[in-house]
Amino acid sequence: MTGAPLRQLVEVWRVDCRGPGDLSGVQALVDAGRLLPREIVAVMGKTEGNGCVNDHTRDFASMAWCHFLASHLGCTARQVAQRVALVMSGGTEGVLSPHFSVYTRRWVAADTGSRHGVTKKRLVIGVAQTADFEPEQIGRMAQVDATALAVRAAMLEAGIKDPADVHFVQIKCPLLTVGKVAAAVARGAMPVTRDTYESMGWSRGASALGVAVALHELPRGVLNDGVVLRDFGLYSACASASAGIELDHNVVIVLGEAAGAASPCRIAHTVMRDAIDAVSVRRLLRDAFGLDADVDATRLADRLVNLYAKAEASPDGAVRGQRHTMLDDSDINATRHARAAVGGVLASVVGQTALYVSGGAEHQGPPGGGPVAAIVRVDGASVARA
């Protein structure tokens, strides 16, 4: 087969965990020969922290993965972080269950998986990273532009030429700490905000707008520092950004489809118009995959790998004309309320709780709503899980 064209085969493993550092389920898959560490290109995890500035469960999970993979790959933990895209999203409020989505990729001969047909599209993945940001760059056009470049690089790695074939772009982005703010001010540079919690929204928002530029959802010319977190009519229907204390740059994971890929899965997306828009999710599953959540729950459970969704407390203080109090609660952050609400809605549709629901949807879908992507197995085999 020397010289034969190769096709990308992406597999997704959904692995439950007892805590942010528990990789026993992953180790069991490795021991059984079902999961090869050298093929892992990305991990998206949901951890049970508060999802706020001081949520160190994200860092804990990332470190656990780095050390785990370093021992299998014969490299340092730092090299793992450069090789594998690790995105940990804190917050499993309500019924959401902590878990990891593990993405593997290998290249197979063109005739492998030919039952799919070379013209059919299947799941592909690409990853990229930006350089580290200075504190004053977070939430501003510097972050928008760097993110757009990284998204394009990840698309190229995935083999995606048409932005319409991108269905979900997951970004892990940095936030501001008191120390970062002080260092910037000492240099005479003014960060976009001095509030560390607010900085998460600025970072997510700028990153999402970068996705919109890369996917031609918005022209670069309509953007400037003044529209970030101000003009929420500007958004991406595919972006999902999660801010964390554990990094200073953006990690980008592009999930989409390409003709001829040998993967056993497909991906499609929609946009929830608000936090209780289950209708759009049911329509997505039915129209894209032929799965009717209302009449065939068993088949849905057997085929659905995961749902990836953004959740947001509507900034106008209402859901379908009725007042909500998420933004007025001084005890629990609004992002935590939103994750619990959207997580419950999605779980009621698909009958599972190990769902990737990320809070804070600034410029990620319309105000109060957010993008939702579904990955489904279509080759007749059951979902790979542990």
Side-chain angles (χ1 to χ4, degrees), residues 141 144-145 148 151-152 163-164 204-224 227-239 362-366:
M141 289 305 298
V144 173
D145 290 335
V151 171
R152 293 189 184 109
R204 290 189 299 255
S207 297
L209 289 174
V211 175
V213 171
L215 300 186
H216 300 165
E217 296 174 292
L218 293 173
R220 170 63 173 77
V222 304
L223 303 180
N224 55 63
V227 305
V228 183
L229 294 202
R230 292 183 178 91
D231 187 349
F232 289 108
L234 303 174
Y235 63 82
S236 169
C238 296
E362 303 87 355
H363 301 292
Q364 301 152 75

Side-chain angles (χ1 to χ4, degrees), residues 31-240:
D31 292 342
R34 300 172 64 195
L35 177 64
L36 300 179
R38 68 176 180 273
E39 294 181 349
I40 297 175
V41 293
V43 179
M44 292 171 56
K46 284 301 301 182
T47 65
E48 58 261 50
N50 59 26
C52 299
V53 175
N54 65 331
D55 183 354
H56 295 284
T57 66
R58 299 172 300 215
D59 194 21
F60 183 19
S62 295
M63 289 179 60
W65 272 97
C66 282
H67 288 292
F68 172 83
L69 289 175
S71 66
H72 286 281
L73 300 177
C75 62
T76 66
R78 182 180 180 84
Q79 289 171 326
V80 170
Q82 296 170 342
R83 171 175 173 171
V84 179
L86 299 173
V87 174
M88 304 300 156
S89 173
T92 52
E93 295 82 1
V95 299
L96 292 173
S97 180
H99 69 284
F100 300 107
S101 292
V102 184
Y103 288 83
T104 62
R105 180 178 60 192
R106 67 180 184 272
W107 299 91
V108 298
D111 59 344
T112 301
S114 58
R115 64 186 180 278
H116 296 320
V118 295
T119 60
K120 292 184 178 179
K121 294 180 179 180
R122 292 293 184 267
L123 177 68
V124 292
I125 185 172
V127 300
Q129 299 185 15
T130 69
D132 286 353
F133 294 111
E134 295 292 344
E136 64 271 20
Q137 293 178 314
I138 293 175
R140 292 183 168 134
M141 289 305 298
Q143 190 174 22
V144 173
D145 290 335
T147 302
L149 288 174
V151 171
R152 293 189 184 109
M155 288 174 60
L156 181 63
E157 184 187 88
I160 299 175
K161 298 179 180 179
D162 186 349
D165 286 329
V166 175
H167 292 282
F168 203 68
V169 180
Q170 178 61 53
I171 295 175
K172 190 68 187 183
C173 53
L175 52 79
L176 293 175
T177 62
V178 171
K180 289 181 181 180
V181 170
V185 172
R187 289 187 288 104
M190 184 57 62
V192 70
T193 179
R194 296 191 182 207
D195 187 302
T196 58
Y197 180 73
E198 285 184 359
S199 75
M200 299 177 74
W202 285 99
S203 187
R204 290 189 299 255
S207 297
L209 289 174
V211 175
V213 171
L215 300 186
H216 300 165
E217 296 174 292
L218 293 173
R220 170 63 173 77
V222 304
L223 303 180
N224 55 63
D225 287 345
V227 305
V228 183
L229 294 202
R230 292 183 178 91
D231 187 349
F232 289 108
L234 303 174
Y235 63 82
S236 169
C238 296
S240 171

Side-chain angles (χ1 to χ4, degrees), residues 357-381:
V357 180
S358 174
E362 303 87 355
H363 301 292
Q364 301 152 75
V372 179
I375 295 180
V376 171
R377 292 189 72 95
V378 293
D379 68 346

